Amino acid sequence: MYKLMTPGPTQVSDEVLAARALRFKNPDIDESFVEEYKELCEEISELLGTKNETLILGGEGILGLEAACASLIERDDKVLVIDNGIFGRGFADFVTMYGGVPTLYTADYRETIDVEKLEEYLVQNHDFKIATIVHGDTPSGMLNDVDSITKALKKYDILTIVDAVSSMFGERLSVDNIDILCGGSQKVISAPPGLTINVISDKAKETIKNRKTPIASFYANLKVFFNYYEEKWFPYTMPISDINGLKVAIDRIKNDPDIYARHKRIGEAARKAIASVGLKLYLNSGFNNTVTVFEVPEGTTAADIINTVKNDHDILITGSFDCLAGKVIRIGHMGESANDKDMSETMAALDKTFAKLGVKLNGSLEESFRANL
């Protein structure tokens, strides 16, 4: 089996896998599960440094983005979609799906959002109910300064939805300025795919409760969870084995005080290694320490690089999609995959792959990576 060095799903510890294999109780009728669920949600909020309520939903991370939009947006609501990446632009589809009117604030896809320019735009353009923002845009490796962006939006009382699926626990952010924060189990958290995490402010809850129209979804409806603890009831059978695994993964994060520093150290070393051998990083600014993205060099293809690394070295890295399809290579170093040994092996595999494909590098990726740790 190949080693997962993709930007999600990531490698999963044996401890997490073992927790998912345990015999489980009936989450529909055993009230002790409600207590365990609530404790886990509170632990996540505490680790994120917020008193906002966390909810865990059964579904891959995209469910959280859709649920945030479905629950907040009503027909003809004006929504500012901050767009400097594929996932940033993608929010417009959810906005339209639930009757909202998206306005795209489109910026350079190779640059992090310039907050001063955004603030200048907002002076004349702030008639929005909601704004959507991506913290870590996985297809490009972009990281946006969500703390500054949300502060700028709050001056105009604009609700904020933030996609932090690829960055949650890998990059710090201030959650209290975010109305709905979206995360997922399969990235830095390093549990298998299948769970969404939504962290919801009191203001977002009140907005959802006071809607004029019903939410046009059941499964992507956050309101149905609002009284789960008082009623000891969930709107559907919760995926208890996945949640057992998530509990262990979150406990591992709690017991890893070095997690943010580790991601920063490995991310910086990876970028320095890429640049030192003459490869070109895709981004000019806004580097996310959970994923490194570089352009496919001349003389080869993304598919050739990915397949050679996988077939010859049992390591899986990946390309991208949409406007970046075939143009870049992505290495995921998030969660369990963010460690010196696995990254060194990945860089060594790339050294041998480029040599096999006839791409000349100005040195060794592995040696440079290790030297910069």
Side-chain angles (χ1 to χ4, degrees):
M1 183 64 179
Y2 49 72
K3 181 174 296 181
L4 274 175
M5 297 300 291
T6 54
T10 59
Q11 299 180 77
V12 177
S13 71
D14 290 342
E15 191 179 1
V16 170
L17 292 175
R20 294 178 75 249
L22 295 173
R23 292 185 181 275
F24 54 84
K25 58 190 67 175
N26 188 322
D28 291 327
I29 59 178
D30 190 330
E31 291 189 4
S32 67
F33 172 75
V34 182
E35 299 296 334
E36 293 167 5
Y37 176 93
K38 185 173 185 288
E39 288 173 6
L40 177 55
C41 289
E42 289 174 345
E43 184 177 0
I44 292 169
S45 291
E46 182 180 354
L47 287 172
L48 290 170
T50 184
K51 294 188 181 299
N52 291 351
E53 184 178 16
T54 291
L55 295 173
I56 302 165
L57 280 61
E60 192 271 341
I62 290 291
L63 172 63
L65 311 184
E66 181 172 350
C69 292
S71 300
L72 280 179
I73 295 170
E74 297 193 69
R75 182 160 297 281
D76 297 328
D77 280 346
K78 295 179 180 178
V79 181
L80 178 64
V81 176
I82 297 178
D83 162 34
N84 68 326
I86 293 167
F87 283 168
R89 186 182 72 238
F91 260 118
D93 294 333
F94 289 134
V95 173
T96 303
M97 187 183 302
Y98 290 101
V101 180
T103 296
L104 269 67
Y105 177 85
T106 300
D108 192 328
Y109 275 31
R110 292 179 186 261
E111 304 283 357
T112 191
I113 290 292
D114 185 320
V115 181
E116 288 187 7
K117 287 183 179 178
L118 175 62
E119 288 179 322
E120 291 172 3
Y121 171 85
L122 288 170
V123 170
Q124 300 296 327
N125 305 273
H126 53 257
D127 184 22
F128 300 105
K129 175 182 175 181
I130 303 160
T132 64
I133 314 132
V134 173
H135 188 217
D137 195 79
T138 326
S140 65
M142 178 63 71
L143 186 76
N144 288 313
D145 182 359
V146 164
D147 294 350
S148 297
I149 292 170
T150 53
K151 286 177 183 176
L153 293 163
K154 288 301 175 185
K155 293 177 183 177
Y156 302 99
D157 204 31
I158 299 171
L159 291 160
T160 55
I161 299 172
V162 173
D163 170 2
V165 173
S166 74
S167 54
M168 184 181 283
F169 296 118
E171 293 279 2
R172 293 186 185 275
L173 75 170
S174 178
V175 179
D176 285 347
N177 282 326
I178 299 168
D179 290 297
I180 301 183
L181 175 69
C182 307
S185 58
Q186 77 272 30
K187 303 282 187 175
V188 179
I189 292 173
S190 291
L195 295 174
T196 274
I197 294 168
N198 281 137
V199 187
I200 310 169
S201 73
D202 288 342
K203 183 178 178 181
K205 284 185 181 179
E206 287 305 308
T207 302
I208 293 168
K209 289 176 182 177
N210 295 323
R211 287 174 59 105
K212 297 175 183 177
T213 57
I215 295 171
S217 176
F218 180 81
Y219 207 76
N221 181 341
L222 295 175
K223 187 178 180 180
V224 296
F225 278 85
F226 284 178
N227 297 314
Y228 81 86
Y229 186 69
E230 293 77 10
E231 297 173 359
K232 303 295 187 284
W233 176 87
F234 291 97
Y236 49 79
T237 300
M238 298 304 289
I240 186 169
S241 294
D242 290 340
I243 290 172
N244 287 341
L246 178 67
K247 168 63 176 170
V248 174
I250 292 297
D251 284 345
R252 289 172 68 84
I253 291 172
K254 186 176 182 178
N255 294 321
D256 183 7
D258 187 48
I259 191 167
Y260 291 106
R262 173 163 51 87
H263 281 83
K264 184 174 187 290
R265 177 172 56 81
I266 288 175
E268 289 180 348
R271 293 190 294 274
K272 288 176 181 176
I274 292 294
S276 72
V277 301
L279 295 170
K280 187 176 186 307
L281 293 165
Y282 173 72
L283 297 175
N284 297 324
S285 64
F287 300 101
N288 187 343
N289 285 317
T290 67
V291 55
T292 294
V293 183
F294 63 90
E295 296 183 4
V296 175
E298 291 185 9
T300 189
T301 67
D304 285 343
I305 296 168
I306 294 162
N307 290 335
T308 303
V309 170
K310 178 185 174 185
N311 295 334
D312 290 5
H313 305 283
D314 291 324
I315 297 172
L316 187 65
I317 57 177
T318 188
S320 196
F321 51 93
D322 199 276
C323 62
L324 293 178
K327 298 179 180 179
V328 299
I329 294 294
R330 296 185 293 159
I331 306 169
H333 34 81
M334 50 177 68
E336 294 290 339
S337 302
N339 66 79
D340 299 356
K341 178 178 179 293
D342 288 340
M343 274 298 291
S344 294
E345 290 179 4
T346 301
M347 291 302 197
L350 281 167
D351 280 334
K352 294 173 183 175
T353 293
F354 283 125
K356 181 175 182 177
L357 297 175
V359 177
K360 184 172 176 55
L361 301 179
N362 302 326
S364 164
L365 282 163
E366 180 193 15
E367 291 176 7
S368 179
F369 173 75
R370 296 180 69 85
N372 282 294
L373 285 172

